[in-house]
Amino acid sequence: MGFFTDTSVCIGCKACEVACKEWNAIPADGLELTGMSYDNTVGLGADTWRHVAFVEQQVPADVDVFTAARDLEAAGPGATRTRWLMSSDVCKHCTHAACLDVCPTGSLFRTEFGTVVVQEDICNGCGYCVPACPYGVIDQRKDDGRAWKCTLCYDRLGVGMEPACAKACPTESIQFGPLEELRERAADRVEALHAAGVADARLYGADPDDGVGGDGAFFLLLDEPEVYGLPPDPVVTTRDLPAMWKHAATAAASLAALAVVSFARRPR
């Protein structure tokens, strides 16, 4: 199971942020002005499991700022207008999750729904999962050091309910369901947008052959991933661990053999 977030219909209402905080009893972020448009949460973190980004852009005047389609007459050479790209970001629940690989206590585990969850009562606050995440999703709370992130509402799934954020989304920008079904729906949506003149529409994280084996939470974007603060080509950070352990074992065996030979040849 997973999320498909269609940013082309996100209105930036932040209902998903509020629903996530209320259901999971997540501490408030406060009302500090960040200087980043109407974004008061900045990014994902231990106390922000859903983050609605407001990306302000200057685009050619012939781009419809509401649909991103080039179906308007240009106001003149070089003329531009302002548009907002809004996107509700969340943990990607990677198929190949590096956080699982590095967790020493088993606090992080793969659920029967294919999602990745942190058990806060088992987390020892080591922080290994934080740099392991290629998306920079996992964070530690300052008061106790434990790691926190989206659970894809594991407790709600267990009783047949959909995640709180998807339930609260008024435009169905956040869609929940079986991943294969969501990928087919997302591909149809991209095709429809292209037909409507939105040439920049593309999927992010939907490819099972990408560097993380596909994301359990993927997105339809209207610009390059970097514009939304997403890595363009994420790769599971532990992919080289088997080779590294093999080389380390080889080196250790070589040193042990050298030590034995040196001991055997020692003058008596």
Side-chain angles (χ1 to χ4, degrees):
M1 307 294 285
F3 285 130
F4 163 46
T5 302
D6 183 351
T7 69
S8 69
V9 294
C10 178
I11 58 174
C13 68
K14 297 199 174 199
C16 55
E17 282 193 18
V18 175
C20 178
K21 281 185 174 292
E22 287 187 342
W23 180 261
N24 295 290
I26 303 172
D29 295 288
L31 296 175
E32 297 182 8
L33 296 178
T34 63
M36 298 173 63
S37 187
Y38 290 95
D39 185 356
N40 70 305
T41 50
V42 182
L44 296 174
D47 295 334
T48 305
W49 300 359
R50 267 280 179 186
H51 168 244
V52 178
F54 287 72
V55 181
E56 295 184 19
Q57 283 187 324
Q58 292 297 310
V59 296
D62 65 341
V63 173
D64 187 327
V65 295
F66 297 104
T67 67
R70 286 180 173 269
D71 59 357
L72 303 179
E73 294 184 1
T80 62
R81 61 174 64 193
T82 301
R83 75 165 175 177
W84 274 338
L85 295 178
M86 299 173 184
S87 174
S88 181
D89 197 10
V90 71
C91 171
K92 312 308 181 291
H93 294 274
C94 308
T95 299
H96 303 312
C99 56
L100 289 176
D101 294 336
V102 301
C103 181
T105 65
S107 171
L108 279 148
F109 74 102
R110 178 86 59 187
T111 74
E112 65 270 32
F113 303 104
T115 58
V116 180
V117 173
V118 181
Q119 301 172 94
E120 64 272 11
D121 57 334
I122 300 177
C123 177
N124 66 357
C126 68
Y128 294 164
C129 56
V130 176
C133 177
Y135 297 101
V137 167
I138 306 181
D139 190 22
Q140 295 172 277
R141 285 187 183 162
K142 295 180 180 180
D143 58 348
D144 63 9
R146 291 180 296 172
W148 302 81
K149 74 172 191 67
C150 163
T151 67
L152 219 149
C153 283
Y154 182 46
D155 53 345
R156 292 173 65 94
L157 300 191
V159 294
M161 300 170 65
E162 66 179 322
C165 56
K167 182 71 174 179
C169 182
T171 64
E172 295 187 354
S173 170
I174 302 172
Q175 301 177 36
F176 167 76
L179 274 178
E180 289 305 316
E181 177 183 318
L182 292 177
R183 286 169 180 161
E184 292 179 6
R185 191 184 307 168
D188 291 341
R189 175 63 175 160
V190 170
E191 186 177 343
L193 287 173
H194 286 173
V198 187
D200 289 334
R202 83 284 306 274
L203 294 180
Y204 178 85
D207 184 5
D209 296 323
D210 66 13
V212 294
D215 291 326
F218 65 98
F219 303 79
L220 186 156
L221 305 180
L222 298 179
D223 208 326
E224 298 290 340
E226 299 94 320
V227 173
Y228 296 85
L230 297 169
D233 188 21
V235 175
V236 59
T237 53
T238 53
R239 65 174 181 176
D240 296 326
L241 277 181
M244 292 169 62
W245 282 116
K246 181 179 180 181
H247 292 319
T250 301
S254 299
L255 289 174
L258 182 61
V260 169
V261 170
S262 299
F263 182 81
R265 292 182 176 179
R266 186 179 61 178
R268 295 181 182 275

